[in-house]
Amino acid sequence: MKRILSALAACALAASCATAPSIPSQRERLTRQIADDAVAFNEAYAQAVSAQILLNVLRSRDRMPRYYLAMTGISDSPSWNYSQSVGIGSIPLGEGGSPWGFGSAEASRETARRPSYAVQPFDAQTLTRTAFEPTEPYVFAHYWRSGWPRDLLMLVMVEAIEKTDAEGRVQVFTNEANTIFEDCAPQIDTLGCAYVREMREFMISTSARAPESSFGAQGRALCGIVEAYAPTTPVRHQAPAPGVDCDPVFPIGSTLVRLRLRSLDDMVYYVGELMRAGAMNARAGEAIEAQVSVRAAGLRGGGRGVPLFRILPRGAAENGIYAAEVEYGGARYVAGPAIGRSCGDETSDGVCRDVADEGDRSSSVLSLIAEILALNQSPDSIRAPSRLIAE
């Protein structure tokens, strides 16, 4: 009988060991903690930067002052609190007995885990370089060649197009946000819409043919060539003079197109001015949309496009994830919905509906400005642009 009971106990023990959940080791717990912290801090930093940009866009819409803050890296260094105490008490033992002393000692240790970071205004030199100086031409060229939506770059980063024909006549088209209405329909005759139409012609000229793959040693010397498209006379690169930046240049046939670039603060103000014009067409509680469209992310082809930027009151937001959310003027606003789709054809419902919220470009605008903000703080480096943009 004892032998049978011993065998049954051994079987039960083996079965319990086989079915017991595995307990992660200290190394596994540490690995998970580091990974979770890295993701949490990444998300916190992304939301802080995007929210700062959206806040300044809203301020620009209302023509309020804009402010830019530097945020240092987030660290998670634990702090230790250690305390100890010693006490002696007495208790009588039996009748007439002398009190006996009993000692007690206590010690405790607490670990406080609170992320540390600093948010502070830029110093004057950094603020000038970061926000107020025109964007470096090589930065524009970098994004132009890296697969970003080029119409978006032309609207956000470019202040003016200077066009010189074969006879030397010069035309200047200025990108004025406060005179862009109704996606520049034919009946809209403003300076801003003149720029938008010229920009769209420029996009057709640069997409209808392949750029020159190389330049010879002979030809017209031009500083700042980004790409050349079948120039009627040969051209060649010319290095800029020391301390001089050359505007981005595009030789196209017999025409020379030169772009004048904005500063980062001008980019933010430009988007805010677009929102100011859009607010004139939005009722209370509705989305505010820029009055100019760009190619959509994943759908809306054929030139229809979607608004360059959209801001929604939180109550009108349909998606759960947005690139930026901020409180301003007693209300909460969001911009940049997550777009998890790539559709070839339009549908009447579902994820492939051809609506603005399903092809929003606000996330791309926020990403572009955030990357240039980071780049301008470190002038000796340039980060690769995000390629998470569905075309």
Side-chain angles (χ1 to χ4, degrees), residues 49-55 57 148 152 156 271 308-310 322-325 334-337 361-373:
V49 173
S50 297
Q52 180 180 189
I53 296 170
L54 178 58
L55 176 61
V57 166
W148 273 68
L152 184 150
V156 177
V271 177
L308 175 68
F309 202 81
R310 300 173 74 238
Y322 285 84
E325 181 170 351
V334 296
R361 276 301 191 196
S362 302
S363 295
S364 300
V365 173
L366 291 169
S367 178
L368 176 67
I369 296 176
E371 290 184 12
I372 294 176
L373 177 65

Coordinates of all heavy atoms in Angstrom, one line a residue, residues 49-55 57 148 152 156 271 308-310 322-325 334-337 361-373:
V49 N 6.6 66.4 -28.8 CA 7.1 67.2 -29.9 C 5.9 67.5 -30.8 O 5.7 68.7 -31.3 CB 8.2 66.5 -30.6 CG1 8.6 67.2 -31.9 CG2 9.4 66.3 -29.7
S50 N 5.1 66.5 -31.2 CA 4.0 66.8 -32.1 C 3.0 67.7 -31.5 O 2.4 68.6 -32.2 CB 3.3 65.5 -32.5 OG 4.2 64.6 -33.2
A51 N 2.7 67.6 -30.2 CA 1.7 68.5 -29.6 C 2.2 69.9 -29.5 O 1.5 70.9 -29.7 CB 1.5 68.0 -28.1
Q52 N 3.6 70.1 -29.4 CA 4.1 71.5 -29.4 C 3.9 72.1 -30.8 O 3.6 73.3 -30.9 CB 5.6 71.4 -29.0 CG 6.3 72.8 -29.0 CD 7.7 72.8 -28.7 OE1 8.4 73.8 -28.5 NE2 8.3 71.6 -28.6
I53 N 4.1 71.3 -31.8 CA 3.9 71.9 -33.2 C 2.5 72.2 -33.4 O 2.1 73.3 -33.9 CB 4.4 70.8 -34.2 CG1 5.9 70.6 -34.1 CG2 4.1 71.3 -35.6 CD1 6.5 69.5 -34.9
L54 N 1.6 71.3 -33.0 CA 0.1 71.6 -33.2 C -0.3 72.8 -32.4 O -1.1 73.6 -32.9 CB -0.7 70.3 -32.8 CG -2.2 70.5 -32.9 CD1 -2.6 70.8 -34.3 CD2 -2.9 69.2 -32.4
L55 N 0.2 72.9 -31.2 CA -0.1 74.1 -30.4 C 0.3 75.4 -31.1 O -0.5 76.4 -31.2 CB 0.6 74.0 -29.0 CG 0.4 75.2 -28.1 CD1 -1.1 75.4 -27.7 CD2 1.2 75.0 -26.8
V57 N 0.7 75.8 -34.3 CA -0.1 75.9 -35.5 C -1.4 76.6 -35.1 O -1.9 77.6 -35.8 CB -0.4 74.6 -36.2 CG1 -1.5 74.7 -37.2 CG2 0.9 74.1 -36.8
W148 N 9.7 61.6 -50.4 CA 8.6 62.3 -49.7 C 7.7 62.9 -50.8 O 8.1 63.2 -51.9 CB 9.2 63.5 -48.9 CG 9.5 63.0 -47.5 CD1 10.5 62.2 -47.1 CD2 8.9 63.4 -46.3 NE1 10.6 62.0 -45.8 CE2 9.5 62.7 -45.2 CE3 7.8 64.2 -46.0 CZ2 9.1 62.9 -43.9 CZ3 7.4 64.3 -44.7 CH2 8.1 63.7 -43.6
L152 N 3.8 68.3 -51.2 CA 3.8 68.6 -49.8 C 5.0 69.5 -49.4 O 5.0 70.5 -48.8 CB 3.7 67.4 -48.9 CG 3.6 67.6 -47.4 CD1 2.9 66.4 -46.8 CD2 5.0 67.7 -46.7
V156 N 4.9 73.4 -48.0 CA 5.3 73.7 -46.7 C 6.7 74.4 -46.6 O 6.9 75.3 -45.8 CB 5.4 72.4 -45.8 CG1 5.9 72.7 -44.4 CG2 4.0 71.8 -45.8
V271 N 1.2 76.9 -42.1 CA 0.1 76.0 -41.8 C -1.0 76.6 -41.0 O -2.2 76.4 -41.2 CB 0.7 74.7 -41.1 CG1 -0.5 73.7 -40.8 CG2 1.7 74.0 -42.0
L308 N -4.1 69.6 -47.2 CA -2.7 69.4 -46.7 C -2.7 69.2 -45.2 O -1.9 68.4 -44.7 CB -2.0 70.7 -47.1 CG -0.6 70.8 -46.5 CD1 0.4 69.8 -47.2 CD2 0.0 72.3 -46.7
F309 N -3.6 69.8 -44.5 CA -3.6 69.7 -43.0 C -5.1 69.8 -42.5 O -5.9 70.6 -43.1 CB -2.8 70.8 -42.4 CG -2.3 70.5 -41.0 CD1 -1.2 69.7 -40.8 CD2 -2.9 71.0 -39.9 CE1 -0.7 69.4 -39.6 CE2 -2.5 70.7 -38.6 CZ -1.4 69.9 -38.4
R310 N -5.4 69.1 -41.5 CA -6.7 69.1 -40.9 C -6.6 69.1 -39.4 O -5.8 68.3 -38.8 CB -7.6 67.9 -41.3 CG -7.8 67.7 -42.8 CD -8.5 66.4 -43.1 NE -9.9 66.4 -42.8 CZ -10.5 65.6 -41.9 NH1 -9.7 64.6 -41.4 NH2 -11.7 65.6 -41.7
Y322 N -4.0 59.5 -33.0 CA -3.6 60.7 -33.7 C -2.2 61.0 -33.3 O -1.7 60.8 -32.2 CB -4.6 61.8 -33.3 CG -5.9 61.7 -34.0 CD1 -6.9 60.9 -33.4 CD2 -6.2 62.3 -35.2 CE1 -8.2 60.8 -34.0 CE2 -7.4 62.2 -35.8 CZ -8.4 61.4 -35.2 OH -9.6 61.3 -35.8
A323 N -1.5 61.6 -34.3 CA -0.1 62.0 -34.1 C 0.0 63.1 -33.0 O 1.0 63.1 -32.3 CB 0.5 62.4 -35.4
A324 N -1.0 64.0 -32.9 CA -0.9 65.1 -32.0 C -2.2 65.3 -31.3 O -3.2 65.2 -32.0 CB -0.3 66.3 -32.7
E325 N -2.2 65.7 -30.1 CA -3.4 66.1 -29.3 C -3.0 67.2 -28.3 O -1.9 67.0 -27.6 CB -4.0 64.9 -28.6 CG -5.3 65.3 -27.8 CD -6.0 64.1 -27.3 OE1 -5.7 62.9 -27.7 OE2 -7.0 64.3 -26.6
V334 N -7.1 67.5 -32.1 CA -6.2 66.4 -32.6 C -5.9 66.6 -34.1 O -6.6 67.3 -34.8 CB -6.9 65.0 -32.4 CG1 -7.1 64.7 -30.9 CG2 -8.2 64.9 -33.2
A335 N -4.8 66.0 -34.5 CA -4.4 66.1 -35.9 C -3.5 64.9 -36.2 O -2.8 64.4 -35.4 CB -3.6 67.4 -36.2
G336 N -3.6 64.5 -37.5 CA -2.8 63.4 -37.9 C -3.3 62.0 -37.6 O -2.7 61.3 -36.7
P337 N -4.4 61.5 -38.1 CA -4.9 60.2 -37.8 C -4.0 59.1 -38.4 O -3.3 59.3 -39.4 CB -6.3 60.2 -38.5 CG -6.1 61.1 -39.7 CD -5.2 62.2 -39.2
R361 N -3.0 64.0 -44.7 CA -1.5 64.3 -44.8 C -1.0 65.1 -43.6 O 0.2 65.4 -43.5 CB -1.3 65.2 -46.0 CG -1.1 64.3 -47.3 CD 0.0 63.3 -47.2 NE 0.3 62.7 -48.5 CZ 1.0 61.6 -48.6 NH1 1.4 61.0 -47.6 NH2 1.2 61.1 -49.8
S362 N -1.8 65.3 -42.6 CA -1.4 66.0 -41.4 C -0.2 65.3 -40.7 O 0.7 66.0 -40.2 CB -2.6 66.2 -40.4 OG -3.6 66.8 -41.0
S363 N -0.2 64.0 -40.6 CA 0.9 63.3 -40.0 C 2.2 63.6 -40.7 O 3.2 63.7 -40.0 CB 0.6 61.8 -39.9 OG -0.5 61.5 -39.1
S364 N 2.2 63.6 -42.0 CA 3.4 63.9 -42.8 C 3.9 65.3 -42.5 O 5.1 65.5 -42.4 CB 3.1 63.7 -44.3 OG 2.7 62.4 -44.5
V365 N 3.0 66.3 -42.4 CA 3.4 67.6 -42.1 C 4.0 67.7 -40.8 O 5.1 68.3 -40.6 CB 2.2 68.6 -42.3 CG1 2.5 70.0 -41.8 CG2 1.7 68.6 -43.7
L366 N 3.4 67.1 -39.8 CA 3.9 67.1 -38.4 C 5.3 66.5 -38.4 O 6.2 66.9 -37.7 CB 2.9 66.4 -37.5 CG 1.6 67.1 -37.2 CD1 0.7 66.2 -36.4 CD2 1.9 68.4 -36.4
S367 N 5.4 65.3 -39.1 CA 6.7 64.6 -39.1 C 7.8 65.4 -39.7 O 8.9 65.5 -39.2 CB 6.5 63.3 -39.8 OG 7.7 62.6 -39.9
L368 N 7.5 66.1 -40.9 CA 8.4 66.9 -41.6 C 8.9 68.0 -40.7 O 10.2 68.3 -40.5 CB 7.8 67.5 -42.8 CG 8.7 68.4 -43.6 CD1 9.9 67.7 -44.2 CD2 7.9 69.1 -44.7
I369 N 8.0 68.8 -40.0 CA 8.4 69.9 -39.2 C 9.2 69.4 -38.0 O 10.2 70.0 -37.6 CB 7.2 70.7 -38.8 CG1 6.6 71.3 -40.0 CG2 7.6 71.8 -37.8 CD1 5.3 72.1 -39.7
A370 N 8.8 68.3 -37.4 CA 9.5 67.8 -36.2 C 10.9 67.3 -36.6 O 11.9 67.6 -35.8 CB 8.7 66.6 -35.6
E371 N 11.1 66.7 -37.7 CA 12.4 66.3 -38.1 C 13.3 67.5 -38.4 O 14.5 67.5 -38.1 CB 12.3 65.4 -39.4 CG 11.8 64.0 -39.0 CD 11.8 63.1 -40.2 OE1 12.4 63.4 -41.2 OE2 11.1 62.0 -40.2
I372 N 12.8 68.5 -39.1 CA 13.6 69.7 -39.3 C 13.9 70.5 -38.0 O 15.0 71.0 -37.8 CB 12.9 70.7 -40.3 CG1 12.7 70.0 -41.7 CG2 13.6 72.0 -40.5 CD1 11.9 70.8 -42.7
L373 N 13.0 70.4 -37.1 CA 13.2 71.0 -35.8 C 14.4 70.3 -35.1 O 15.3 71.0 -34.5 CB 12.0 70.9 -34.9 CG 12.1 71.4 -33.4 CD1 12.4 72.9 -33.4 CD2 10.8 71.1 -32.7

